[in-house]
Amino acid sequence: MAKKLQAIVLNKAIAIFVLSFGFSQSGMAQVVQDTVAGGVVMESPDADKIRINPSKAKDPRTATLLSAILPGAGQVYNEKIWKVPIIYGGITTTAYFVEFNNRRYQLFRDALRISRDPNIDPSLNPFPNLNEDGLVRNVNYWRRNRDLNYMIFVIIYALNLVDAQVDAHLSAFDVSDDLSFELKPAYENLYAGSGLIGLSFKINF
Protein backbone atom coordinates (compact mmCIF):
# COMPACT_ATOMS: atom_id res chain seq x y z
CA MET A 1 0.00 0.00 0.00
CA ALA A 2 2.83 2.36 0.89
CA LYS A 3 4.60 1.65 -2.40
CA LYS A 4 1.39 2.31 -4.34
CA LEU A 5 0.92 5.62 -2.49
CA GLN A 6 4.53 6.60 -3.24
CA ALA A 7 3.99 5.80 -6.93
CA ILE A 8 0.87 8.01 -7.03
CA VAL A 9 2.70 10.90 -5.36
CA LEU A 10 5.66 10.51 -7.73
CA ASN A 11 3.45 10.52 -10.81
CA LYS A 12 1.61 13.61 -9.58
CA ALA A 13 4.90 15.40 -8.93
CA ILE A 14 6.08 14.61 -12.45
CA ALA A 15 2.78 15.82 -13.88
CA ILE A 16 3.07 19.11 -11.96
CA PHE A 17 6.56 19.64 -13.35
CA VAL A 18 5.44 18.95 -16.91
CA LEU A 19 2.40 21.19 -16.62
CA SER A 20 4.35 24.03 -14.99
CA PHE A 21 7.36 24.15 -17.26
CA GLY A 22 6.42 22.28 -20.42
CA PHE A 23 5.36 23.94 -23.59
CA SER A 24 1.75 23.48 -24.58
CA GLN A 25 1.44 21.56 -27.82
CA SER A 26 -1.22 23.96 -28.99
CA GLY A 27 1.36 26.76 -28.92
CA MET A 28 3.33 25.22 -31.78
CA ALA A 29 1.43 26.82 -34.62
CA GLN A 30 2.06 25.93 -38.24
CA VAL A 31 4.36 28.35 -40.03
CA VAL A 32 2.90 30.06 -43.05
CA GLN A 33 5.14 31.71 -45.63
CA ASP A 34 3.95 34.56 -47.78
CA THR A 35 5.97 36.61 -50.26
CA VAL A 36 5.88 40.34 -49.62
CA ALA A 37 7.85 43.38 -50.71
CA GLY A 38 11.24 43.38 -49.07
CA GLY A 39 11.38 39.68 -48.17
CA VAL A 40 9.38 36.75 -46.80
CA VAL A 41 6.94 36.88 -43.90
CA MET A 42 6.57 33.89 -41.54
CA GLU A 43 3.59 34.15 -39.27
CA SER A 44 1.48 32.00 -36.97
CA PRO A 45 -2.03 32.63 -35.60
CA ASP A 46 -2.16 35.24 -32.81
CA ALA A 47 1.60 35.84 -33.01
CA ASP A 48 3.76 38.70 -34.22
CA LYS A 49 5.28 38.51 -37.69
CA ILE A 50 8.88 37.57 -38.38
CA ARG A 51 10.13 39.31 -41.51
CA ILE A 52 13.13 38.12 -43.50
CA ASN A 53 14.92 41.05 -45.12
CA PRO A 54 17.62 39.85 -47.56
CA SER A 55 19.08 43.35 -47.84
CA LYS A 56 20.23 43.13 -44.19
CA ALA A 57 21.76 39.67 -44.50
CA LYS A 58 25.43 39.33 -43.52
CA ASP A 59 27.88 36.70 -44.71
CA PRO A 60 28.67 34.32 -41.78
CA ARG A 61 32.02 33.35 -43.32
CA THR A 62 33.12 36.97 -43.58
CA ALA A 63 31.99 37.75 -40.04
CA THR A 64 33.85 34.73 -38.65
CA LEU A 65 37.02 35.52 -40.60
CA LEU A 66 37.04 39.13 -39.44
CA SER A 67 36.63 38.10 -35.80
CA ALA A 68 39.38 35.50 -36.20
CA ILE A 69 41.80 38.14 -37.50
CA LEU A 70 40.75 40.84 -35.02
CA PRO A 71 38.35 40.01 -32.15
CA GLY A 72 35.29 42.26 -32.36
CA ALA A 73 35.68 43.01 -36.07
CA GLY A 74 32.95 40.51 -36.94
CA GLN A 75 30.61 42.18 -34.47
CA VAL A 76 31.28 45.54 -36.14
CA TYR A 77 30.56 43.95 -39.52
CA ASN A 78 27.27 42.60 -38.10
CA GLU A 79 26.42 46.10 -36.81
CA LYS A 80 26.59 44.94 -33.19
CA ILE A 81 29.23 47.42 -32.08
CA TRP A 82 27.95 47.39 -28.47
CA LYS A 83 29.45 43.90 -28.08
CA VAL A 84 33.01 45.07 -28.81
CA PRO A 85 33.64 46.63 -25.34
CA ILE A 86 32.38 43.41 -23.72
CA ILE A 87 34.80 41.30 -25.77
CA TYR A 88 37.79 43.53 -25.08
CA GLY A 89 36.80 43.90 -21.44
CA GLY A 90 37.00 40.12 -21.09
CA ILE A 91 40.27 39.93 -23.02
CA THR A 92 41.89 42.74 -20.99
CA THR A 93 40.78 41.29 -17.66
CA THR A 94 42.02 37.82 -18.59
CA ALA A 95 45.35 39.18 -19.84
CA TYR A 96 45.84 41.02 -16.53
CA PHE A 97 45.26 37.86 -14.47
CA VAL A 98 47.50 35.82 -16.77
CA GLU A 99 50.34 38.29 -16.21
CA PHE A 100 49.68 38.52 -12.44
CA ASN A 101 49.57 34.76 -11.89
CA ASN A 102 52.59 34.18 -14.14
CA ARG A 103 54.61 36.76 -12.19
CA ARG A 104 53.76 35.06 -8.89
CA TYR A 105 54.53 31.65 -10.37
CA GLN A 106 57.98 32.76 -11.53
CA LEU A 107 58.70 34.36 -8.14
CA PHE A 108 57.98 31.16 -6.20
CA ARG A 109 59.72 29.04 -8.85
CA ASP A 110 62.90 31.07 -8.42
CA ALA A 111 62.59 30.83 -4.64
CA LEU A 112 62.26 27.05 -4.91
CA ARG A 113 65.35 26.88 -7.13
CA ILE A 114 67.31 28.94 -4.61
CA SER A 115 66.25 26.72 -1.71
CA ARG A 116 67.32 23.58 -3.59
CA ASP A 117 70.67 24.85 -4.85
CA PRO A 118 73.33 24.91 -2.10
CA ASN A 119 75.58 27.05 -4.29
CA ILE A 120 73.14 29.99 -4.18
CA ASP A 121 73.11 32.36 -1.22
CA PRO A 122 69.93 31.53 0.85
CA SER A 123 69.53 35.22 1.66
CA LEU A 124 68.41 35.73 -1.96
CA ASN A 125 65.30 33.68 -1.22
CA PRO A 126 62.34 36.12 -1.07
CA PHE A 127 60.40 33.67 1.12
CA PRO A 128 62.85 32.49 3.81
CA ASN A 129 60.04 31.41 6.13
CA LEU A 130 58.64 28.85 3.67
CA ASN A 131 60.08 25.38 3.53
CA GLU A 132 60.41 23.40 0.29
CA ASP A 133 56.93 21.88 0.55
CA GLY A 134 55.36 25.32 0.97
CA LEU A 135 57.27 26.64 -2.02
CA VAL A 136 56.20 23.67 -4.15
CA ARG A 137 52.55 24.21 -3.23
CA ASN A 138 52.76 27.88 -4.20
CA VAL A 139 54.52 27.08 -7.48
CA ASN A 140 51.78 24.60 -8.41
CA TYR A 141 49.00 26.96 -7.26
CA TRP A 142 50.09 29.99 -9.28
CA ARG A 143 50.96 27.90 -12.32
CA ARG A 144 47.51 26.31 -12.23
CA ASN A 145 45.84 29.72 -11.95
CA ARG A 146 47.89 31.02 -14.88
CA ASP A 147 47.00 28.05 -17.06
CA LEU A 148 43.31 28.41 -16.14
CA ASN A 149 43.35 32.02 -17.31
CA TYR A 150 44.95 30.92 -20.57
CA MET A 151 41.99 28.60 -21.04
CA ILE A 152 39.54 31.42 -20.28
CA PHE A 153 41.28 33.56 -22.89
CA VAL A 154 40.85 30.82 -25.49
CA ILE A 155 37.16 30.44 -24.54
CA ILE A 156 36.54 34.18 -24.94
CA TYR A 157 38.23 34.11 -28.34
CA ALA A 158 36.12 31.12 -29.42
CA LEU A 159 32.91 32.75 -28.18
CA ASN A 160 33.85 35.84 -30.17
CA LEU A 161 33.93 33.69 -33.33
CA VAL A 162 30.70 31.84 -32.55
CA ASP A 163 28.85 35.05 -31.72
CA ALA A 164 29.94 36.70 -34.97
CA GLN A 165 28.83 33.71 -37.02
CA VAL A 166 25.45 33.30 -35.28
CA ASP A 167 24.68 37.02 -35.54
CA ALA A 168 25.47 36.92 -39.26
CA HIS A 169 23.13 33.95 -39.76
CA LEU A 170 20.30 35.78 -37.95
CA SER A 171 20.97 39.22 -39.41
CA ALA A 172 18.22 38.92 -42.04
CA PHE A 173 15.51 38.21 -39.46
CA ASP A 174 13.54 41.18 -38.20
CA VAL A 175 11.78 39.93 -35.05
CA SER A 176 9.30 42.02 -33.09
CA ASP A 177 10.27 42.94 -29.54
CA ASP A 178 6.99 41.49 -28.26
CA LEU A 179 6.78 37.80 -27.45
CA SER A 180 3.40 36.10 -27.44
CA PHE A 181 2.93 33.80 -24.46
CA GLU A 182 0.07 32.68 -22.29
CA LEU A 183 -0.25 31.16 -18.82
CA LYS A 184 -3.50 29.28 -18.25
CA PRO A 185 -4.96 26.46 -16.12
CA ALA A 186 -4.62 22.89 -17.37
CA TYR A 187 -6.02 19.50 -16.41
CA GLU A 188 -4.11 16.22 -16.62
CA ASN A 189 -5.71 12.78 -16.48
CA LEU A 190 -3.82 10.26 -14.35
CA TYR A 191 -4.32 6.51 -13.99
CA ALA A 192 -6.97 4.96 -11.75
CA GLY A 193 -9.44 7.70 -12.72
CA SER A 194 -7.62 10.44 -10.82
CA GLY A 195 -6.76 13.85 -12.21
CA LEU A 196 -4.45 16.76 -11.59
CA ILE A 197 -5.00 20.49 -12.01
CA GLY A 198 -2.02 22.72 -12.80
CA LEU A 199 -0.76 25.57 -14.96
CA SER A 200 0.24 25.46 -18.62
CA PHE A 201 2.76 27.90 -20.11
CA LYS A 202 2.19 28.39 -23.86
CA ILE A 203 4.43 30.27 -26.29
CA ASN A 204 3.26 31.15 -29.78
CA PHE A 205 5.77 31.75 -32.54
Side-chain angles (χ1 to χ4, degrees), residues 66 85 122 144 170 177 183 199:
L66 288 172
R144 185 167 56 249
L170 300 178
D177 293 334
L183 186 66
L199 294 176

Side-chain angles (χ1 to χ4, degrees), residues 83-103:
K83 294 184 178 182
V84 176
I86 298 176
I87 294 174
Y88 279 95
I91 291 176
T92 303
T93 302
T94 305
Y96 167 79
F97 282 108
V98 166
E99 193 277 333
F100 174 79
N101 286 284
N102 186 60
R103 187 170 66 249

Side-chain angles (χ1 to χ4, degrees), residues 127-145:
F127 306 101
N129 296 327
L130 289 178
N131 58 21
E132 184 173 335
D133 289 340
L135 292 173
V136 169
R137 284 195 299 270
N138 275 278
V139 168
N140 293 334
Y141 174 79
W142 293 108
R143 180 177 56 205
R144 185 167 56 249
N145 283 359

Side-chain angles (χ1 to χ4, degrees), residues 93-166:
T93 302
T94 305
Y96 167 79
F97 282 108
V98 166
E99 193 277 333
F100 174 79
N101 286 284
N102 186 60
R103 187 170 66 249
R104 298 292 291 177
Y105 159 70
Q106 292 179 348
L107 185 63
F108 280 99
R109 183 196 59 185
D110 293 342
L112 179 61
R113 181 173 56 85
I114 292 172
S115 68
R116 287 177 172 176
D117 192 342
N119 297 322
I120 300 179
D121 185 2
S123 63
L124 297 177
N125 189 343
F127 306 101
N129 296 327
L130 289 178
N131 58 21
E132 184 173 335
D133 289 340
L135 292 173
V136 169
R137 284 195 299 270
N138 275 278
V139 168
N140 293 334
Y141 174 79
W142 293 108
R143 180 177 56 205
R144 185 167 56 249
N145 283 359
R146 181 202 62 184
D147 294 346
L148 177 61
N149 280 277
Y150 277 132
M151 293 178 59
I152 294 175
F153 183 86
V154 172
I155 292 173
I156 292 175
Y157 180 80
L159 289 176
N160 154 69
L161 300 180
V162 173
D163 176 77
Q165 186 176 77
V166 171

Side-chain angles (χ1 to χ4, degrees), residues 62-75:
T62 301
T64 306
L65 181 61
L66 288 172
S67 284
I69 297 174
L70 179 65
Q75 283 70 20

